[in-house]
Amino acid sequence: MPYEPPTHTVERSLRATTGARTVAGVDEVGRGAWAGPVTVCAAVTGLRRPPAGLTDSKLISPKRRAELAPVLESWVTAFGLGDASPQEIDELGMTAALRLAAVRALEALPVRPDAVILDGKHDYLGQPWKVRTVIKGDQSCIAVAAASVIAKVHRDTMMAELGAETGEYTDFAFGANAGYPSPVHRVALEERGPTPHHRLSWSYLDALPRWRHLKKVRFSAEAAALESGGQLGFDF
């Protein structure tokens, strides 16, 4: 399906209306997975023309993503990556974990951005960051699209490497599903139970009677307030 290439329109608007000089595009990956961290990338691109074919990582084949990511890492002015672990997700809830990963990514940049373009409609970052949310920003904004590809390839590589030396998690096929729901993943969970890399507060455990007792209940007042929307729309 044809798509419009991303532009610097939102970044130019932020520069004109807020005086921002450094604008970072931020995107996440791993929100709906059963296993692995949630990963956020913050990318600063300036107003230069991007490499050909840049768009939302979900619209690019895995092979092309793997080719494009190192090109983008050299092309961007700067990028930072941040992860929130499965244990942090279980303890804090997804909304707070996303913020934690995003702050880690932004703080990994060599210069603090004056403004942030955040993919989606929910501002999970908040103060003191100056945030502009953009629905489908990973398709329309160059900096967010770059962050999308870098984050996706980083996390996919991390998941593929889990237990690679020992073959400990071969049954889970993390290299193919990156920790997301899949028939192979579900069968492995039914037979072996969750690994240390799984999120134990996730509702997939409700459908696994043998392992249901491992489910963690995370319910502090702060976490409940941050997570008022549940698992951000994902119901496994």
Side-chain angles (χ1 to χ4, degrees):
M1 179 181 296
Y3 55 84
E4 291 293 324
T7 69
H8 289 300
T9 300
V10 176
E11 185 170 341
R12 291 182 189 277
S13 172
L14 280 170
R15 287 170 174 251
T17 58
T18 69
R21 297 173 63 89
T22 302
V23 179
V26 171
D27 198 16
E28 56 76 24
V29 63
R31 188 186 314 201
W34 288 346
V38 62
T39 297
V40 174
C41 180
V44 178
T45 65
L47 298 176
R48 292 171 298 142
R49 184 187 299 273
L54 177 62
T55 187
D56 171 14
S57 64
K58 296 186 291 295
L59 301 179
I60 306 174
S61 70
K63 180 176 183 295
R64 178 56 182 150
R65 281 198 303 262
E67 294 169 347
L68 187 57
V71 174
L72 288 170
E73 290 179 10
S74 298
W75 171 78
V76 297
T77 303
F79 74 94
L81 287 158
D83 298 310
S85 69
Q87 293 73 30
E88 289 170 328
I89 293 169
D90 287 337
E91 179 180 350
L92 300 172
M94 180 52 79
T95 303
L98 276 170
R99 185 179 195 280
L100 181 62
V103 169
R104 287 169 174 167
L106 288 163
E107 290 183 344
L109 294 171
V111 177
R112 183 184 177 93
D114 302 309
V116 173
I117 304 171
L118 187 62
D119 181 53
K121 63 180 180 179
H122 298 294
D123 178 9
Y124 56 78
L125 194 52
Q127 296 295 329
W129 305 93
K130 296 179 180 177
V131 176
R132 172 78 62 85
T133 57
V134 178
I135 296 172
K136 294 187 177 180
D138 46 10
Q139 294 183 36
S140 61
C141 301
I142 287 172
V144 180
S148 169
V149 174
I150 294 172
K152 175 65 173 167
V153 172
H154 170 80
R155 187 181 182 278
D156 282 359
T157 300
M158 184 191 310
M159 294 302 297
E161 290 175 350
L162 287 181
E165 292 185 3
T166 63
E168 184 177 3
Y169 305 122
T170 301
D171 293 352
F172 292 91
F174 288 147
N177 60 48
Y180 282 86
S182 76
V184 171
H185 193 169
R186 180 178 290 278
V187 168
L189 277 167
E190 290 174 344
E191 294 179 353
R192 294 185 50 183
T195 72
H197 304 288
H198 280 86
R199 304 169 187 181
L200 298 181
S201 59
W202 245 226
S203 57
Y204 69 86
L205 279 170
D206 294 337
L208 301 173
R210 184 179 173 189
W211 309 105
R212 194 178 298 157
H213 65 285
L214 298 176
K215 187 174 181 181
K216 290 187 177 180
V217 177
R218 170 199 33 78
F219 221 76
S220 67
E222 180 182 5
L226 288 168
E227 196 76 352
S228 59
Q231 292 175 8
L232 295 181
F234 291 92
D235 184 10
F236 300 122

